Amino acid sequence: MNSFHSAGTRSASTLGYNAPVLDPTKRFSTRVENYIKYRPSYPPEIIPLLESECGLTPDTLIADIGFGTGLLTELFLKHGNPVVGIEPNADMRAAGERILAKYSNFESIDATAEATTLRDNSIDMIIAGQAFHWFDRAKARTEFQRILKPNGWVVLIWNGFHVESSPLNNGYQEIVLRYGTDYKEVVREISGVDVESFFAPNRCKCTKFKFRQMFDFEGLKGRLLSSSYAPAETDPHFREMIDELRRLFAANEQNGKVEFDYETEVYYGRMRSVPSA
């Protein structure tokens, strides 16, 4: 696969994100294995949506910004797309590279959303799954405009657990509110994202999909511990949190399983690129 690096590659460690307390280049490093095992993938309906709305074909060159362990990346690799993944977190990137090693149409780069190292006007479509809220939006917008081909597409995707859908999801929300180390700050990061202004003066559309995961207790526990705001085992409240999660599971399980509901939001639109000098 061709390299998509531009000249002057720099280490991601010199290109830090804003909000150091919530630094995504570090905060998921101890969550990788639970993230791989228990985080959901993305609805396959995203592919036909982007085919009909954005002209996605297997030849569309994609940059997945903040690709993590490759959950969203793999959806596009299976579609046949060449994908270059940008990820500043070394542990997440290493896991993603291991999982996606079987795909010859994938390349991984140690870089950030604000300085991808990709060539000017080289990318057809930028995607970001569960990552955009961590970007410095002004700097990322400038970078996206630089690397996109004229009238290229940007697709921003979030999997949110659907709080209103069930007693289980409501109870889970109460647990992360009570015990999460900085859950409220993370929620503010996500809820404070103004997606529409990121695309201005162009407009974006939004489509939503519902789906669910089925968990036994170990799966539900792993889903919780995959979150960056879940307290570590050394935390004095860790055991109390797990006991409460066990009670929640027992109150809602059927045949040893619970249903964990999600709603996926997909924002997509064209972005004006900056002509190459």
Side-chain angles (χ1 to χ4, degrees), residues 18 113-114 131-144 156 158 188-195 197-198 271:
N18 57 348
E114 301 82 5
F132 180 73
H133 51 282
W134 297 117
F135 303 164
D136 181 314
R137 261 80 80 184
K139 292 179 180 178
R141 187 172 187 272
T142 298
E143 181 70 351
F144 287 11
L156 309 175
W158 282 272
R188 279 198 292 270
E189 283 287 313
I190 297 174
S191 62
V193 172
D194 182 0
V195 173
S197 67
F198 189 78
M271 177 168 281

Side-chain angles (χ1 to χ4, degrees), residues 169-212:
N169 282 55
N170 271 306
Y172 184 91
Q173 168 88 342
E174 291 173 5
I175 287 172
V176 295
L177 279 169
R178 186 173 300 117
Y179 297 101
T181 55
D182 56 359
Y183 176 71
K184 293 179 181 178
E185 287 82 355
V186 173
V187 169
R188 279 198 292 270
E189 283 287 313
I190 297 174
S191 62
V193 172
D194 182 0
V195 173
E196 287 78 11
S197 67
F198 189 78
F199 289 88
N202 293 353
R203 301 179 68 86
C204 67
K205 295 181 180 180
C206 179
T207 298
K208 298 181 181 182
F209 301 101
K210 287 182 170 58
F211 72 104
R212 62 175 42 133

Side-chain angles (χ1 to χ4, degrees), residues 3-233:
S3 173
F4 299 102
H5 283 282
S6 64
T9 301
R10 291 181 289 171
S11 166
S13 63
T14 66
L15 305 168
Y17 286 70
N18 57 348
V21 173
L22 302 176
D23 185 357
T25 67
K26 300 181 180 65
R27 65 185 287 125
F28 286 97
S29 295
T30 61
R31 315 288 174 164
V32 172
E33 292 308 314
N34 280 321
Y35 205 102
I36 293 169
K37 291 180 182 178
Y38 303 114
R39 280 296 180 104
S41 184
Y42 292 83
E45 294 88 348
I46 289 173
I47 295 297
L49 169 72
L50 299 182
E51 287 176 330
S52 62
E53 293 287 312
C54 308
L56 176 71
T57 73
D59 295 325
T60 303
L61 174 56
I62 291 175
D64 187 351
I65 312 296
F67 79 91
T69 62
L71 289 170
L72 179 61
T73 320
E74 190 163 27
L75 195 66
F76 288 85
L77 292 172
K78 288 180 177 178
H79 184 247
N81 293 101
V83 181
V84 54
I86 304 296
E87 177 55 57
N89 184 299
D91 298 284
M92 297 283 276
R93 188 177 62 256
E97 290 170 348
R98 184 176 70 251
I99 293 167
L100 303 175
K102 61 187 174 183
Y103 295 99
S104 61
N105 50 337
F106 175 66
E107 180 181 354
S108 169
I109 297 177
D110 175 8
T112 67
E114 301 82 5
T116 63
T117 78
L118 300 176
R119 296 197 305 263
D120 294 352
N121 307 134
S122 61
I123 300 298
D124 296 309
M125 179 181 288
I126 292 171
I127 62 174
Q130 218 73 15
F132 180 73
H133 51 282
W134 297 117
F135 303 164
D136 181 314
R137 261 80 80 184
K139 292 179 180 178
R141 187 172 187 272
T142 298
E143 181 70 351
F144 287 11
Q145 289 177 314
R146 182 186 69 79
I147 66 176
L148 277 173
K149 294 178 182 178
N151 291 313
W153 291 89
V154 174
V155 182
L156 309 175
I157 304 173
W158 282 272
N159 278 338
F161 62 86
H162 202 197
V163 176
E164 297 81 9
S165 63
S166 70
L168 176 86
N169 282 55
N170 271 306
Y172 184 91
Q173 168 88 342
E174 291 173 5
I175 287 172
V176 295
L177 279 169
R178 186 173 300 117
Y179 297 101
T181 55
D182 56 359
Y183 176 71
K184 293 179 181 178
E185 287 82 355
V186 173
V187 169
R188 279 198 292 270
E189 283 287 313
I190 297 174
S191 62
V193 172
D194 182 0
V195 173
E196 287 78 11
S197 67
F198 189 78
F199 289 88
N202 293 353
R203 301 179 68 86
C204 67
K205 295 181 180 180
C206 179
T207 298
K208 298 181 181 182
F209 301 101
K210 287 182 170 58
F211 72 104
R212 62 175 42 133
Q213 286 179 290
M214 300 295 293
F215 288 129
D216 58 14
F217 177 72
E218 286 304 311
L220 185 64
K221 176 183 173 183
R223 175 62 183 85
L224 174 60
L225 298 183
S226 75
S227 302
S228 63
Y229 44 74
E233 289 191 35

